[in-house]
Every structure is written in C-alpha cells, then in structure tokens.
C-alpha cells in the first residue's frame, strides 16, 4: 500500500488557475470554487505523460476500455450495475444537464430543483427556456443543523401540469447531504406517480465523509430508476475538471437517443484524449486507494473546521456535512447579506469564500467554504474568516 500525503500542495499561482489567478492580490487565500489544491492521483499524471510523449493530439476515439472502467468502478465501489450501451460521454456534467433539459422539455415547462443548490442548475434551466421551481430544503432542528426534504411540498410541485423534470443533487452541493436509499426511494415513487423524470447530478459521489455511504439513484429497483438519467464524472474526486470528461447514464433507449441528439445540437459530443486516459486511470485499484486516503484527510479537515467554529465562532452554525468537501455555514446572526460578507472578507481580510445567495434564495445568509486544501492553509483561511466576522459583529 502506498501512503499519500495531503499536508502540502504546490503553488498554483501563475498557472492560469481559475481559483487562484482570479484573486485580486497574492495574499488572498481562495476557499471558493470547487476544485482542490491537491495534486491528482500520480497514476493519472503518469498516464498523461505517456500520452503527451506521443506528440499527436488529434480527434479521439473512446475505446471499449473506457466504458469497462466506468462499469467496473460503479459496480465494485457503489453496487450499481451499468451496461456499456447505457453510457453517453460528454465534456462535463453541466453540458450534460443542459443537453438533458433540451432533450426532454419544451420552453415553458417546469424543472424542479432543491434550493439551495448548485448555481449552474439555474442557468441550465433558464438557457433552455424552462421555469425553475424550488422544492426548498429545510432545517427542522437548529441544534442538529442538517437538511431534510419537504416531501409534501415536493409532491405539490411534482403534481403541476407543466412539471417535467426533477434535478437531484446527490450528494447535495452545497447542503452536504448524502441522500439515503429511503429518501431516494420516496423521491422516485413521487416522480413516477406524477410522471416527472429524475435527472441526478452525482459528480460529488466519491466524497462521502466518515462512514456516510452514497447510493446511486440508478441503483434503485428498475421500476423506480429505469427512466432516470445520471450525470457523473471523476473530475471532482480526482481534481481533473480541466480535462473535461463526464458521462450520462440512462437505461431507456428512446430517452438516450433524444439526449444523444441534444448532445450533438449543443456541440459537446467530442472529448479530448487526456480526459479519456485520465478517467481510465482514475477508475483503477490504485485510484481507489489514493481516493480513500484523500477522503480520510478531508474528513479530518471537516472535523477540525467544526472544532474551530465551535471555539471561535459559536454564533455561526455549520450545517452537518455528510458529503462533498464544501462546508456550508449559517451567517444569519450577522446583519449583512452573504454578498456583503463575501466582499468584506475578500477586500479586508484576504480570504475568498462563496456567497450563499448564488445558490438560490435559500442560501441568502450562508457562506460556502472549500475544505480541499492542506489543513495549515485552511486553518489560516478560517482565522481570517473569524477576524472578519468578529469585525462585522461589532
């Protein structure tokens, strides 16, 4: 067994990093956009170096071994049997969701989400001329601080005559829930009852904290999941978003054909050779070993973050995270909007976090903090956040 260290990370400034090189000064600690500061699994780097040595980077054919890697990974690690013929490759999960909406709706149709939720859901819905409807997640217990689904409200939204799609985020970004099989089954039953199709974004599926377990929506019984669409990618887990590779999994052949046409209409049907190579190496035994150690490190970062907030910012509750590497904190005790808090932390304290309002009205008084970096860096970022919040609270 190889032991990997995540306590240090290379300098990313000057590499055209979206996360780092957009900062207004070199003293800023960026804890915002969802990519990690860790280098990827070394096996991926080695595979890419071999491919680069060839020196020709023309149009790429996706080989059988690519599909076999996807099927083997989800079967072995998540108990989900995928057939090769059910997979459509594309450049990313966001283009995938946009193409699915284009394929399965008409302008004016309703698409249901669960706010607060990943901001690109909103733009995908809007860009396809559909109406966004939110089945807002709720926190019933302010002591426990975790999100639940309001199933009564969900059924009301699903029963609307123009409701066509339900976009699930599993695990949920930014709320941190890893939905249980029971919760997924209730969602599936309600969607089947009202003839609304489920589209599940499972890009964060590998990031479960501690002993939480991810359940693929597509692994539910056939009568509940057959017509669903799952969008997944190794990009978050292995920090390879720039290689632009993702998959759509759908067992319904007619629906899959419609999605395939939309992928072509949106011109996101060609992938680059590095993404193809990287996915196959990521979904290997070595990749699984590296990922298990990374999850342990991020789980430790989360525990330390909780301890920091309890000691230094007890008035700012942290939502209980079961998955992702994105902490979600409630700043409603402050008399500022989330945008104002983000701006002041960046300008006055040189730490960059995400304002919760970008994830919908439900996130107005929240901040999202990226924990996927060495603890020493995260700790310094938290100190700056604490200094900023203390100044705003005075």
């Amino acid at each position: 067994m190889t032991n990997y260290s995540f306590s240090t990370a290379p300098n990313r400034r000057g590499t055209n990093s979206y996360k780092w090189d957009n900062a207004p000064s070199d003293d800023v600690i960026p804890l915002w956009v969802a990519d990690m500061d860790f280098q990827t699994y070394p096996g991926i780097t080695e595979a890419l170096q071999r491919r680069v040595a060839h020196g020709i980077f023309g149009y790429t054919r996706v080989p059988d071994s690519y599909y076999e890697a996807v099927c083997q990974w989800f079967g072995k690690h998540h108990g989900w049997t995928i057939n090769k013929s059910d997979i459509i490759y594309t450049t990313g999960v966001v283009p995938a969701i946009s193409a699915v909406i284009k394929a399965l709706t008409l302008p004016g149709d309703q698409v249901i989400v669960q706010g607060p939720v990943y901001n690109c859901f909103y733009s995908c819905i809007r860009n396809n001329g559909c109406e966004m409807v939110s089945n807002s997640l709720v926190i019933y217990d302010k002591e426990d601080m975790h999100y639940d689904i309001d199933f009564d409200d969900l059924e009301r939204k699903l029963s609307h005559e123009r409701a066509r799609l339900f976009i699930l985020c599993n695990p949920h970004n930014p709320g941190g829930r890893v939905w249980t099989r029971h919760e997924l089954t209730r969602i599936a039953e309600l969607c089947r009852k009202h003839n609304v199709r489920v589209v599940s974004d499972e890009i964060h599926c590998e990031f479960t904290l501690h002993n939480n377990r991810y359940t693929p929506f597509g692994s539910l019984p056939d009568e509940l999941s057959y017509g669903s669409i799952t969008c997944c990618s190794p990009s978050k887990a292995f920090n390879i978003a720039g290689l632009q590779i993702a998959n759509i999994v759908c067992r319904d052949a007619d629906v899959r054909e419609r999605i395939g046409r939309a992928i072509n209409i949106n011109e996101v049907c060609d992938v680059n050779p590095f993404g193809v190579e990287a996915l196959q190496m990521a979904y290997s035994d070595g990749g699984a070993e590296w990922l298990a150690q990374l999850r342990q490190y991020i789980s430790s970062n989360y525990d330390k973050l909780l301890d920091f907030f309890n000691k230094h910012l007890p008035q700012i509750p942290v939502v209980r995270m079961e998955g992702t590497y994105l902490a979600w904190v409630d700043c409603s005790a402050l008399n500022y909007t989330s945008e104002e808090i983000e701006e002041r932390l960046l300008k006055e304290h040189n730490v960059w976090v995400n304002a919760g309002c970008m994830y919908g009205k439900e996130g107005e008084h929240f901040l999202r903090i990226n924990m996927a970096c060495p603890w020493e860096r995260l700790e310094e970022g938290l100190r700056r956040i604490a200094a900023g919040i203390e100044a705003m609270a005075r």
Side-chain angles (χ1 to χ4, degrees):
M1 175 177 168
T2 303
N3 290 317
Y4 298 99
S5 173
F6 301 98
S7 60
T8 60
N11 180 10
R12 298 183 64 187
R13 295 194 193 278
T15 63
N16 291 319
S17 163
Y18 186 75
K19 179 179 181 181
W20 283 83
D21 289 328
N22 277 323
S25 76
D26 286 349
D27 191 39
V28 169
I29 296 178
L31 302 176
W32 62 300
V33 67
D35 75 4
M36 299 189 290
D37 288 337
F38 306 120
Q39 289 183 324
T40 191
Y41 165 50
I44 292 176
T45 305
E46 294 164 6
L48 296 181
Q49 288 170 337
R50 290 192 295 270
R51 184 64 183 83
V52 166
H54 183 256
I56 299 174
F57 314 110
Y59 298 116
T60 296
R61 181 183 70 90
V62 176
D64 285 343
S65 56
Y66 173 96
Y67 297 98
E68 291 164 2
V70 175
C71 296
Q72 182 272 341
W73 178 269
F74 281 93
K76 180 176 181 179
H77 296 286
H78 303 302
W80 182 22
T81 300
I82 301 175
N83 294 319
K84 170 187 171 181
S85 59
D86 297 338
I87 300 172
I88 303 172
Y89 59 81
T90 187
T91 57
V93 164
V94 173
I97 291 171
S98 181
V100 170
I101 295 172
K102 181 183 289 293
L104 302 178
T105 65
L106 295 172
D109 284 346
Q110 291 184 348
V111 179
I112 300 166
V113 300
Q114 293 180 308
V117 76
Y118 180 46
N119 53 296
C120 286
F121 287 5
Y122 302 121
S123 57
C124 287
I125 294 166
R126 181 176 62 250
N127 292 342
N128 283 288
C130 292
E131 177 186 351
M132 187 282 295
V133 176
S134 183
N135 164 232
S136 301
L137 298 177
V138 290
I139 296 175
Y140 291 116
D141 185 346
K142 291 294 185 179
E143 296 297 320
D144 190 33
M145 282 299 289
H146 82 281
Y147 281 110
D148 282 305
I149 298 170
D150 182 342
F151 282 100
D152 291 337
D153 178 71
L154 176 58
E155 179 153 27
R156 284 193 295 271
K157 303 289 173 59
L158 291 170
S159 66
H160 194 283
E161 62 181 6
R162 289 190 285 116
R164 294 292 177 271
L165 295 179
F166 171 79
I167 303 182
L168 175 69
C169 198
N170 178 37
H172 190 274
N173 169 26
R177 280 300 316 277
V178 178
W179 304 115
T180 65
R181 181 169 290 273
H182 175 69
E183 288 168 319
L184 296 175
T185 297
R186 288 191 68 187
I187 290 169
E189 289 171 345
L190 289 175
C191 287
R192 181 178 63 169
K193 176 180 176 181
H194 295 286
N195 197 31
V196 174
R197 199 176 298 275
V198 175
V199 183
S200 189
D201 172 357
E202 303 191 356
I203 196 170
H204 288 279
C205 67
E206 307 304 340
F207 279 114
T208 51
L209 302 177
H210 295 302
N211 296 321
N212 292 289
R213 184 172 179 81
Y214 148 76
T215 301
F217 189 88
S219 70
L220 298 181
D222 282 357
E223 65 270 18
L224 296 176
S225 64
Y226 176 76
S228 67
I229 299 103
T230 296
C231 302
C232 55
S233 170
S235 62
K236 294 297 180 195
F238 293 91
N239 210 23
I240 55 172
L243 299 183
Q244 296 186 311
I245 195 73
N247 294 294
I248 301 168
V249 182
C250 177
R251 293 205 297 279
D252 187 318
D254 292 337
V255 172
R256 198 167 59 246
E257 182 180 354
R258 291 164 66 185
I259 295 170
R261 287 200 300 270
I263 289 285
N264 279 272
I265 291 169
N266 284 1
E267 304 294 357
V268 286
C269 51
D270 290 323
V271 292
N272 75 66
F274 302 116
V276 173
E277 295 292 333
L279 178 143
Q280 293 177 80
M281 188 54 68
Y283 288 165
S284 67
D285 289 343
E289 183 180 285
W290 177 88
L291 186 59
Q293 294 180 42
L294 173 63
R295 276 198 297 263
Q296 289 179 347
Y297 190 88
I298 291 176
S299 294
S300 174
N301 272 5
Y302 170 62
D303 291 342
K304 293 174 182 176
L305 178 144
L306 280 178
D307 185 61
F308 184 94
F309 272 83
N310 287 335
K311 287 180 178 177
H312 302 287
L313 293 168
Q315 76 277 32
I316 307 295
V318 180
V319 172
R320 176 156 60 82
M321 309 299 294
E322 298 169 346
T324 83
Y325 51 73
L326 305 162
W328 186 240
V329 302
D330 182 356
C331 295
S332 55
L334 302 177
N335 191 29
Y336 294 90
T337 68
S338 60
E339 283 184 315
E340 290 170 336
I341 299 171
E342 176 189 348
E343 183 178 0
R344 288 193 60 173
L345 289 176
L346 178 58
K347 288 186 175 181
E348 299 173 16
H349 299 275
N350 289 322
V351 61
W352 196 351
V353 296
N354 283 123
C357 61
M358 72 186 294
Y359 307 104
K361 61 180 175 60
E362 299 91 345
E364 175 51 52
H365 297 292
F366 289 80
L367 298 177
R368 194 184 78 164
I369 302 171
N370 187 335
M371 302 183 292
C373 62
W375 167 246
E376 183 178 348
R377 180 177 299 161
L378 178 58
E379 185 179 31
E380 175 58 27
L382 294 177
R383 289 194 192 104
R384 297 182 187 189
I385 291 170
I389 287 177
E390 287 165 3
M392 282 180 266
R394 287 199 289 268

